[in-house]
């Protein structure tokens, strides 16, 4: 469903991504990990065209992301994205956050959007907070709302960029639980995360990035069993034993 | 100068033919308010547009808006007014220039209001731009990632927060429009400071005149301040620290 083919990207002289190739099949869950600054966020933002790239191709269900003729808003509306810092819209209530794009992008009427939004809010366990504002919720609750907001668009795939790393430790699980549930229901997911417990539980494949390159791209058992590259081994031992 | 204070002078007939002196000041107040308010409305529109353009990804337009802000912020308002009033009619094509000099209604007022709008608009644009830039880049990405177009993202995501953040600096810009409107006395607009000068000249009651005019300016500043505080209260976002961005 997501095909990434020899993608390279530069910020001026600095090469952030070097010949990255991988793919995510329908229903597959792929975890992307690697040291900070290795280009994980950049790669995942290239998938829905939030970051342009200079060479290579990315296609989502056959639509080429880098093609200037592609209607990016339309493509993005079909790919959900969840950010490290939640990025709920602070001036809008929870239900308004859930309805905004449904109405403005998909053209749903307010009642439809509301019904969908409340159903998803219930699913992430936050129905009681519908009338509140983002600033009145905890980080974990905000991130669950952000997931619900993305799901309200009926996405064909979901991208996560370190969805739990800005959270206090006691809130990590409430967000991971929602993501595990989603994976089990067959959602296609590409997740940048260092939560290896999550990866073990639901990932099909694990991608390890270092200095802008995909160093390892392996089935989860293989990755956790015996990563081939030294860098991946070093990284794994660091995050698993701290 | 007459240091004998006579409050009764406000009720005396002025030799300008405008009725008693209090009426003279009232006319001034009327023009000051009209100039400041229309200048402010114009400044809000121009400033919002220019501020947005300066953060948008169309380079040529952004440069143009940058140039506007630099020019209008860095030339004294008095010089700008002289330019619009005395120079512009001379350099326009003959027909338009003649219209400005002979047929344009309320020439002093219109020139002052538009001039003030352009001058203040550059300052508002600066505030709007910094308000937008103070929002995290993630907010824009979140809007776009949901499928909103860039204009929709500005309209529904970025601008509502940016305007909330810049209410305090905009309050002082709004108050400045009242103060700056006094500069228009130089092109003959009979606003409050102009009338103050007249009253001082004819009545010699310097202290009474200046006291009355000071009270009127302070009263206007207070009104603007209260109005903006009310708007700020109404726009407050539940769960957020007042005026705080991220
Ligand atoms: N807008 C930018 N301009 C220049 N360099 C950037 C920009 N954004 C990210 N980078 C650099 O690109 C590299 C990869 O960043 P990122 O994709 O955020 O890494 P990760 O998500 O793996 O921590 C980092 O070295 C970062 O400093
Ligand atoms: Mg990152």
């Amino acid at each position: 469903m997501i095909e990434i083919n020899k993608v390279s990207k530069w910020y001026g002289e600095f090469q952030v991504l070097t010949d990255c190739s991988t793919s995510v099949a329908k229903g597959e869950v792929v975890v992307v990990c690697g040291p900070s600054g290795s280009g994980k966020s950049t790669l995942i933002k290239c998938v829905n065209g939030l970051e342009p790239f200079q060479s290579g191709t990315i296609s989502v269900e056959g639509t080429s992301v880098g093609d200037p003729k592609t209607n990016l808003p339309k493509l993005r509306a079909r790919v959900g994205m969840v950010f490290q810092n939640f990025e709920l819209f602070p001036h809008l209530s929870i239900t308004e956050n859930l309805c905004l794009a449904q109405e403005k992008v998909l053209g749903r009427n307010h009642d439809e959007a509301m019904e969908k939004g409340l159903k998803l809010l219930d699913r992430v366990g936050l129905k009681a907070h519908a009338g509140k504002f983002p600033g009145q919720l905890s980080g974990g609750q905000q991130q669950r709302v952000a997931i619900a907001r993305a799901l309200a668009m009926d996405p064909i795939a979901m991208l996560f960029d370190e969805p739990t790393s800005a959270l206090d430790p006691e809130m990590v699980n409430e967000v991971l639980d929602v993501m595990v549930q989603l994976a089990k229901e067959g959602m296609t997911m590409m997740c940048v995360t260092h939560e290896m417990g999550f990866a073990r539980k639901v990932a099909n494949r694990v991608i390890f990035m270092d200095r802008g390159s995909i160093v390892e791209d392996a089935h989860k058992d293989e990755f956790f069993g015996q990563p081939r590259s030294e860098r991946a081994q070093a990284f794994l031992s660091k995050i698993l034993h701290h | 100068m007459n240091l004998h204070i006579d409050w009764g002078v406000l009720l005396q007939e002025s030799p300008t033919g405008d009725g008693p002196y209090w009426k003279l000041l009232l006319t001034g107040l009327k023009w000051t308010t009209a100039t400041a308010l229309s200048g402010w409305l114009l400044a809000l529109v121009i400033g919002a547009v220019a501020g947005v353009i300066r953060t948008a990804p169309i380079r040529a337009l952004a440069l143009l808006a940058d140039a506007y802000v630099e020019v209008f912020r860095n030339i004294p308002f008095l010089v700008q007014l002289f330019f619009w009033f005395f120079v512009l009619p001379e350099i326009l094509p003959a027909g338009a220039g003649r219209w400005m000099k002979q047929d344009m209604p309320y020439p002093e007022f219109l020139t002052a209001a538009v001039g003030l709008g352009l001058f203040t608009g550059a300052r508002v644009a600066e505030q709007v731009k910094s308000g937008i830039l103070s929002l995290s880049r993630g907010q824009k990405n979140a809007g776009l990632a949901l499928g909103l177009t860039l204009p929709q993202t500005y309209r529904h995501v970025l601008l509502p927060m940016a305007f909330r953040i810049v209410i305090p600096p905009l309050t002082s810009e709004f108050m400045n429009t009242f103060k700056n409107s006094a500069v228009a006395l130089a092109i003959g607009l009979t606003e409050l400071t102009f009338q103050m000068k007249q009253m001082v000249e004819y009545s010699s009651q310097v202290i009474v005149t200046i006291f009355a005019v000071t009270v009127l300016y302070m009263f206007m500043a207070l009104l603007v301040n209260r109005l903006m505080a009310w708007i700020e209260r109404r726009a407050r976002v539940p769960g957020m620290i007042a005026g705080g961005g991220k």
Side-chain angles (χ1 to χ4, degrees):
Chain A
M1 170 169 302
I2 300 172
E3 301 284 343
I4 301 175
N5 190 15
K6 288 197 173 305
V7 167
S8 296
K9 175 179 170 72
W10 288 263
Y11 283 117
E13 295 281 286
F14 174 65
Q15 184 160 12
V16 220
L17 297 176
T18 309
D19 273 342
C20 294
S21 298
T22 188
S23 63
V24 184
K26 189 168 162 32
E28 203 174 18
V29 176
V30 172
V31 161
V32 181
C33 62
S36 163
S38 56
K40 307 177 299 292
S41 299
T42 307
L43 181 67
I44 204 168
K45 282 184 200 145
C46 285
V47 172
N48 63 354
L50 285 180
E51 289 286 352
F53 46 93
Q54 285 85 14
S55 79
T57 56
I58 297 180
S59 72
V60 177
E61 266 212 333
T63 309
S64 167
V65 179
D67 186 344
K69 287 195 291 282
T70 297
N71 182 339
L72 276 181
K74 205 169 153 189
L75 182 138
R76 289 177 186 138
R78 307 177 64 212
V79 179
M81 184 158 201
V82 175
F83 300 86
Q84 185 169 355
N85 293 312
F86 332 133
E87 305 299 352
L88 294 179
F89 307 136
H91 60 293
L92 299 180
S93 71
I94 300 308
T95 51
E96 287 166 337
N97 264 278
L98 292 163
C99 291
L100 178 68
Q102 290 191 67
E103 292 171 26
K104 303 292 170 196
V105 178
L106 302 180
R108 290 182 183 151
N109 69 39
H110 184 66
D111 293 342
E112 270 178 286
M114 202 64 174
E115 193 187 326
K116 178 106 194 169
L118 288 176
K119 211 167 82 192
L120 285 162
L121 205 54
D122 192 24
R123 193 172 138 184
V124 298
L126 293 170
K127 199 164 187 179
H129 301 276
K132 289 190 180 170
F133 282 75
Q136 298 170 315
L137 301 185
S138 72
Q141 291 172 327
Q142 288 190 55
Q143 194 61 299
R144 279 143 70 198
V145 172
I147 294 173
R149 181 176 71 177
L151 291 176
M153 304 295 285
D154 293 319
I156 55 171
M158 290 279 288
L159 309 173
F160 293 83
D161 188 4
E162 304 209 33
T164 56
S165 45
L167 295 175
D168 292 335
E170 74 270 18
M171 296 175 185
V172 168
N173 281 327
E174 62 188 70
V175 172
L176 288 180
D177 287 347
V178 172
M179 290 171 61
V180 167
Q181 189 61 33
L182 208 54
K184 287 190 171 150
E185 285 166 19
M187 177 59 79
T188 307
M189 293 162 68
M190 188 165 173
C191 313
V192 176
T193 181
H194 290 160
E195 294 295 335
M196 288 304 134
F198 171 79
R200 276 184 207 280
K201 206 183 282 176
V202 296
N204 299 99
R205 278 173 28 241
V206 180
I207 289 175
F208 174 74
M209 287 185 74
D210 193 23
R211 285 178 245 159
S213 303
I214 294 182
V215 177
E216 196 123 0
D217 184 348
H219 186 269
K220 126 182 102 171
D221 298 331
E222 205 177 314
F223 182 81
F224 289 116
Q226 68 262 29
R228 274 163 296 180
S229 71
E230 260 170 55
R231 279 185 277 175
Q233 283 170 13
F235 177 77
L236 263 184
S237 70
K238 223 183 289 167
I239 63 167
L240 291 179
H241 304 294
H242 73 133
Chain B
M1 207 158 86
N2 186 352
L3 290 180
H4 165 72
I5 297 176
D6 174 16
W7 292 101
V9 69
L10 286 167
L11 301 173
Q12 285 166 23
E13 203 67 19
S14 80
T16 59
D18 293 311
Y21 280 113
W22 67 265
K23 256 188 144 167
L24 193 77
L25 295 185
L26 202 68
T27 313
L29 184 68
K30 194 183 80 185
W31 284 115
T32 291
T33 311
T35 308
L37 286 184
S38 27
W40 177 243
L41 287 181
L42 193 61
L44 271 185
V45 174
I46 296 174
V49 172
V52 166
I53 288 177
R54 293 176 78 199
T55 66
I58 308 165
R59 248 185 88 71
L61 276 181
L63 284 177
L64 205 69
D66 281 345
Y68 157 68
V69 170
E70 286 313 315
V71 168
F72 282 78
R73 240 167 34 121
N74 292 319
I75 295 176
F77 180 45
L78 180 60
V79 176
Q80 294 185 28
L81 264 193
F82 279 170
F83 176 84
W84 299 127
F85 199 68
F86 298 115
V87 182
L88 187 65
E90 305 301 331
I91 58 176
L92 281 179
R98 199 169 328 110
W99 178 82
M100 273 194 79
K101 279 191 280 195
Q102 294 172 1
D103 303 324
M104 188 168 87
Y106 304 107
E108 299 87 4
F109 164 70
L110 274 182
T111 308
V114 172
L116 188 57
L118 286 165
F119 172 72
T120 311
R123 307 172 61 88
V124 172
E126 191 68 7
Q127 302 297 349
V128 169
K129 177 187 170 183
S130 71
I132 293 172
L133 293 184
S134 76
L135 301 173
S136 75
R137 195 182 162 73
Q139 285 281 297
K140 180 174 156 196
N141 277 343
L144 295 177
L146 283 165
L148 298 173
T149 60
L150 188 62
Q152 284 178 321
T153 302
Y154 269 93
R155 161 73 184 79
H156 298 290
V157 177
L158 300 178
L159 287 179
M161 281 312 292
F163 270 112
R164 282 173 169 86
I165 289 168
V166 299
I167 288 175
L170 285 189
T171 302
S172 71
E173 288 304 336
F174 192 4
M175 286 163 53
N176 280 342
T177 60
F178 281 86
K179 290 184 258 173
N180 289 334
S181 68
V183 171
L185 76 89
I187 58 170
L189 180 67
T190 55
E191 47 71 55
L192 190 52
T193 305
F194 183 98
Q195 303 293 56
M196 175 189 83
K197 274 186 65 186
Q198 288 212 84
M199 185 170 163
V200 166
E201 260 163 50
Y202 293 123
S203 74
S204 300
Q205 281 288 336
V206 181
I207 295 177
V208 170
T209 307
I210 291 184
F211 183 82
V213 168
T214 303
V215 167
L216 289 175
Y217 273 117
M218 283 179 54
F219 175 68
M220 286 184 281
L222 188 74
L223 274 188
V224 168
N225 193 293
R226 290 296 86 205
L227 172 72
M228 294 300 278
W230 178 76
I231 291 176
E232 191 171 4
R233 254 197 323 279
R234 293 230 19 197
R236 186 162 296 161
V237 172
M240 269 182 76
I241 324 122
K246 297 205 193 188

